[in-house]
Structures are given as structure tokens and as C-alpha cells.
Amino acid sequence: MRMHEQFLAGPTSRPPRRSRHRRRRRFAAIGAVALVVAISACAPSPDDPVPLRADPDAPFVLAGVSGVTQIAQLTGPDGINDTAAAGVAGTDLGWMLAAGDRTLFVFGDTFGDRAPDAVGAQGGFWRSNVSAWTTDDDPSDGITFDGWAPADDLGLAEALVEGEHDANDGTGEVTKIPTGGFAVGETLYLSYMSVSFWGEPGAWDAAYAGLARSTDGGDSWEALAAPRWAGTSNFVQVTTALVSDGGADYVYLWGIPAGRFGAVQLMRVRATTAEVEDPSAYQYFAGTDGEGGVRWSPHEEAAETVLPGSIGELSVMWSSYLERWVMTYSDGGSAYIREGLSPWGPWGEPIPIASPSEYPGLYAPYLHPRYVDDGGRRLYFTMSLWEPYNVFWFSLDLDLDLDLGLDLDRAD
């Protein structure tokens, strides 16, 4: 039996008041609605690379969110899926990875035997990570799992890349936690962190971060010897997107350090298996020049922060509704969303999604572009709650700022 940190994400942070010094143009609400309909009608498939667009002078258009709804519990005794049959009584995270027609839901430390009053990550039949897969394409009533991958002959969920389960004293590996993933053709990759010590609430140490690879749709995984990032790196936990830039496709990876108290940096790599597995192929965002051009460096130490703050369990995706990037994350026990004008920003001010007064012990709000509705206005996401130590399915609606709005002459 093992007890993780008791959940406290750190000091509560209050989002600053929205700035009003941006360049703006008012437009009629009917024009805004027509524009959004036009944008949504020509939106690419959510699995296609996103064409790179970067306009630091564009206005921020996200005024807020509304209709935040807990739709269903996905895992655990009260969930809509029979996860007990797979030996999953308690788990967390649940970020999503597109794998052809399937979507993988990837979970962290998982326990198959838990007392009814158990709190947090504890119990028996401990695996460092497991994954469910689904073909459910209707997110409005929750997500029904089709199976578990990998699974043994009895249908019990097996670890993708098992941790060593050493003592929590900083001298070995306690567990391996998957933090993000992507596909290059039919090859799947997940990024994981090797946790060496669970410390104070929201703080933990990692020995390194690495990649694991699957060539059979997630039914089996192999941890790769390279590339790896040091446990002190800003890329211990990542979220990813496929971006088309200058005729080439790249995997963009936004990273944070171990724990929930670090800033966001950005790296990219060409979307080929050879380059994904070559440590020298990664490029790190090193700022912009005086004319707005982007500098990429082969040296991690040259990476510049794209979003300061105490960011935990981040998730980034392109919003076809806003024609902007969106990022969700946890901070100070609350969940937030921001919009970004490019992968490196600027990023708008944090907009609250959920607070600990509504959902005690919340963390890890994860998005995926496959799970949107209403022309992209409605986003579905997973979020973990510490006390039941299980994963829940939520939705929210994006609200446009009709005062700032999109410039009509910039939308073509």
C-alpha cells in the first residue's frame, strides 16, 4: 500500500483582471455569429496538422466560459464504465491520444483494490499507468470504453510502461507517470516522467522524462533509451499538437518541470519516427527577433518561457471556433483556460473553469480536439478529483467577447 501526496495544489491564485489596452474594433453581434459559422464550416479534421498562424497583434476574443458541467464519472465504482472488471478501482489523469479510429485514455497510478473510504492514490494491485480505448464519438453523455490496452488474458488492465515501485526516498524510481502523447503515422508515442520522490503537496522530483513507443495501436509499449530529458528539465511533463509549418509537419511540445509550480516552455521536432527518436533533432523556442521572426535553437538551455506562472498538468489544442490556441491547466487548486495567438503566445489572461469550492481536489483538466461540439464552441475534457481518486468527464462553452471581437476584415 502507498499513499501519495495529500492533494493541495499550492497557494490559491486569483486571475488578474482582463486588460483593456488591447487594440480593439467593435462589431455587431450578428456579424460575429456569421463569422464563427463560416470559420467552423471550413475547420479541418481534428486529427490533421494545424497550419501555423502567428499574429501577435490580433485581439484576444475569449471573454469567458459558461455552462461548466460534470457529465459523468468515467472510472471507479460509481463510473459509467465497468472499470472494476479491468482491476481499476482508482486512477487519475486520463489524457487522450488519437490512434486511428480509436482514442486512448491514458491514466496514471492505478489501484485495483481500495477501501471504500480511501482518499488519493493508495490501495493494492498497483500499476504505474494503464490505458482504456474507445470508439465512442458522442461525448455529450460521457465516454464509454470499448476495452483496455494492454490487457491480460483475464481482461485486467496492464501497465503501459511499469515503474520500479521503489521506496519513496529519492534514491530510486517510485513510478512512471505518462504526461502526454502523439501519433506519427501509425506509430504512437507517449511521454512519461520517472518520479523519484513525492514531496510536499504539488511538489515531486523526477529522475528524467522519456518516450515510449507503440507500433500496434497501443496494445504493447516499449520504453525508448532516447531521447530523454533530465529530471531538472522544463520538459518533464508535456502536451503536444501536430503543426504544419513551411511545408513540413512538426510535433510541438509544451513543457513544464516536475510538480505544479513551473512555467511553460516550448520545443518541436519534425513529425517523422526517425527524428522523434533522435535527441539532436529537437528544437527549442528561443524567442523572437525584432521583426517578429521566431528563433529555434538545438540547445535546451536556450529555451525561453512562453508562459510564466505555476502551471500544473497542462493541455493545449487548436480551437477552430476561436481560431486561436487554447490551454487548460491547474493552479492553486483551481482549473483555468487561456487563449494563445501562436504556439509561443502571447497568451491571454487566465479564465477560471472550476474552483476547489465546487470540486475539491481537482486537477489535470485535459482537452482533445476530437471532443468538441456546437461548431467547436463546446469543449469536453477530463478532470481528476483527488478524494475519490478517479476521472470525470466535463464540458464547457466558450464565450466570445463581442466588444473586442474578431476584426471582420482579418477573417478571410
Side-chain angles (χ1 to χ4, degrees):
M1 178 179 295
R2 176 176 67 95
M3 175 71 76
H4 271 191
E5 50 177 343
Q6 288 297 319
F7 183 92
L8 286 172
T12 301
S13 61
R14 177 176 297 174
R17 187 170 298 176
R18 290 180 62 86
S19 168
R20 293 293 174 179
H21 66 269
R22 308 183 187 102
R23 183 174 58 86
R24 64 182 72 176
R25 176 181 296 180
R26 292 181 179 272
F27 62 94
I30 189 171
V33 172
L35 178 59
V36 169
V37 170
I39 289 172
S40 301
C42 62
S45 163
D47 299 329
D48 290 341
V50 176
L52 180 64
R53 306 169 202 178
D55 184 356
D57 295 323
F60 292 107
V61 299
L62 181 61
V65 299
S66 58
V68 177
T69 302
Q70 179 182 312
I71 297 173
Q73 181 174 333
L74 297 185
T75 64
D78 298 319
I80 61 173
N81 295 288
D82 179 15
T83 62
V88 178
T91 192
D92 69 347
L93 304 184
W95 54 262
M96 292 149 276
L97 170 58
D101 293 335
R102 305 199 303 184
T103 304
L104 304 184
F105 281 67
V106 182
F107 304 100
D109 281 319
T110 300
F111 302 87
D113 179 18
R114 284 167 55 82
D117 58 349
V119 174
Q122 61 174 307
F125 189 22
W126 171 26
R127 288 136 292 163
S128 286
N129 42 74
V130 299
S131 175
W133 64 273
T134 184
T135 55
D136 188 350
D137 60 2
D138 179 8
S140 64
D141 58 354
I143 296 295
T144 302
F145 300 151
D146 293 300
W148 298 79
D152 66 14
D153 293 341
L154 298 177
L156 297 173
E158 296 184 321
L160 289 68
V161 282
E162 186 60 279
E164 296 297 330
H165 296 187
D166 292 330
N168 187 35
D169 59 9
T171 63
E173 179 182 80
V174 182
T175 189
K176 287 184 175 76
I177 302 296
T179 68
F182 56 93
V184 175
E186 295 184 357
T187 302
L188 305 180
Y189 293 94
L190 66 83
S191 176
Y192 68 89
M193 57 180 173
S194 171
V195 176
S196 57
F197 181 69
W198 294 108
E200 295 297 320
W204 58 84
D205 297 333
Y208 66 89
L211 295 180
R213 176 184 62 202
S214 174
T215 57
D216 56 10
D219 288 330
S220 64
W221 293 85
E222 174 191 7
L224 302 178
R228 286 187 174 181
W229 291 264
T232 55
S233 167
N234 213 94
F235 296 95
V236 170
Q237 304 172 81
V238 301
T239 183
T240 71
L242 193 61
V243 178
S244 178
D245 181 7
D249 291 344
Y250 290 86
V251 181
Y252 275 56
L253 303 98
W254 293 261
I256 56 176
R260 297 193 182 108
F261 303 109
V264 181
Q265 294 183 353
L266 175 67
M267 63 180 174
R268 71 176 188 176
V269 66
R270 287 282 295 270
T272 70
T273 56
E275 291 178 86
V276 165
E277 297 177 22
D278 178 2
S280 68
Y282 287 77
Q283 300 175 324
Y284 299 85
F285 174 77
T288 57
D289 58 30
E291 298 180 353
V294 178
R295 296 193 298 263
W296 295 97
S297 172
H299 305 296
E300 182 181 350
E301 59 268 22
E304 291 198 0
T305 293
V306 299
L307 181 62
S310 53
I311 309 297
E313 293 109 356
L314 78 168
S315 180
V316 176
M317 64 172 253
W318 174 257
S319 167
S320 59
Y321 179 75
L322 298 176
E323 289 281 290
R324 305 288 193 274
W325 293 93
V326 290
M327 175 190 295
T328 54
Y329 60 94
S330 54
D331 179 12
S334 293
Y336 296 96
I337 188 169
R338 294 180 187 245
E339 63 176 314
L341 303 183
S342 76
W344 49 88
W347 291 90
E349 295 162 358
I351 295 173
I353 296 174
S355 71
S357 63
E358 303 166 290
Y359 303 102
L362 70 84
Y363 60 108
Y366 289 122
L367 305 164
H368 194 279
R370 281 189 170 181
Y371 297 118
V372 300
D373 214 342
D374 192 17
R377 183 188 177 201
R378 180 161 297 162
L379 306 182
Y380 296 89
F381 60 100
T382 57
M383 193 160 68
S384 299
L385 301 182
W386 181 251
E387 183 168 342
Y389 193 66
N390 272 294
V391 178
F392 294 74
W393 191 242
F394 286 80
S395 68
L396 61 80
D397 291 335
L398 302 172
D399 295 334
L400 284 173
D401 189 328
L402 297 183
D403 288 333
L404 292 172
L406 289 170
D407 291 346
L408 292 177
D409 59 359
R410 295 165 57 87
D412 50 25

